[in-house]
Amino acid sequence: MTIPNIITIGRILLVPLTIWLIFTSQFLIAFIVFLAAGISDAVDGFIAKRYGLTTELGAYLDPLADKLLLVSIYVSLSILSTLPLWLVILVVSRDILIIGAVMLSWVLDKPVQMRPLWISKFNTTAQILLAGMILAVLGLGANLGIFTTAAVYGVGALTVLSGAAYMREWVRHMANGV
């Protein structure tokens, strides 16, 4: 158990707290916890790379922590009617589709190593920024109007493009076995 892995586990433990804060309308504190989670993500990554503390466990835990937090926030905000349901369905379905494709490739004895695509990194960044923006707007009582709407549709488009890019890569892999 390395320090980066302990930090990542701490980030996972922030998920229930963040959900509770959202459902109790403590949006500013939820935003601060979200920022702390983001900072901890950067810190654990820096420590792992700088001091050679990368582990196989960390390679699985880090993206899991990110997805747990992001999906939990999206679902929670959708339940509160702050984010549109269609967007949350897109975000969650994309992740389930990717996980399902990877599992199916294992079952068919054609394991695939999914590497992050540039569109996926851009998509994740946009999803994080939207979640942070919504929490900040709710916490500060601000109204960003058209910017929020544009961000929602932008994240929706990027989520579809990212999912399609992963499926294209998966289909190529399955057809060629490479």
Side-chain angles (χ1 to χ4, degrees):
M1 190 59 64
T2 64
I3 290 174
N5 289 348
I6 292 168
I7 294 170
T8 301
I9 290 168
R11 194 162 68 251
I12 291 170
L13 295 175
L14 288 177
V15 172
L17 173 62
T18 305
I19 295 167
W20 179 77
L21 290 167
I22 289 170
F23 281 113
T24 57
S25 299
Q26 297 180 64
F27 299 112
L28 185 56
I29 298 171
F31 174 66
I32 292 167
V33 169
F34 181 72
L35 284 178
I39 292 167
S40 77
D41 189 23
V43 168
D44 72 40
F46 171 78
I47 292 171
K49 289 176 184 151
R50 174 76 168 92
Y51 297 101
L53 297 173
T54 56
T55 64
E56 186 176 353
L57 176 62
Y60 288 103
L61 279 181
D62 190 65
L64 175 65
D66 296 341
K67 283 299 169 188
L68 282 173
L69 184 62
L70 204 53
V71 167
S72 296
I73 288 172
Y74 271 64
V75 170
S76 299
L77 292 174
S78 177
I79 290 169
L80 296 178
S81 299
T82 306
L83 275 179
L85 182 59
W86 64 263
L87 179 64
V88 176
I89 291 169
L90 277 179
V91 168
V92 173
S93 295
R94 173 198 166 271
D95 291 342
I96 291 171
L97 192 64
I98 291 169
I99 292 166
V102 169
M103 290 174 64
L104 182 59
S105 69
W106 288 343
V107 168
L108 297 175
D109 203 27
K110 288 187 170 188
V112 60
Q113 275 196 314
M114 297 300 276
R115 54 182 169 42
L117 304 174
W118 70 269
I119 187 73
S120 175
K121 291 179 181 183
F122 195 58
N123 176 54
T124 299
T125 300
Q127 288 179 0
I128 290 167
L129 290 173
L130 177 60
M133 180 174 75
I134 297 294
L135 289 174
V137 163
L138 291 170
L140 299 171
N143 182 1
L144 297 181
I146 190 74
F147 294 111
T148 303
T149 303
V152 164
Y153 283 102
V155 166
L158 285 169
T159 300
V160 169
L161 291 172
S162 173
Y166 272 119
M167 286 301 103
R168 183 188 70 227
E169 292 294 316
W170 182 79
V171 167
R172 271 191 202 145
H173 171 79
M174 295 305 285
N176 299 329
V178 180

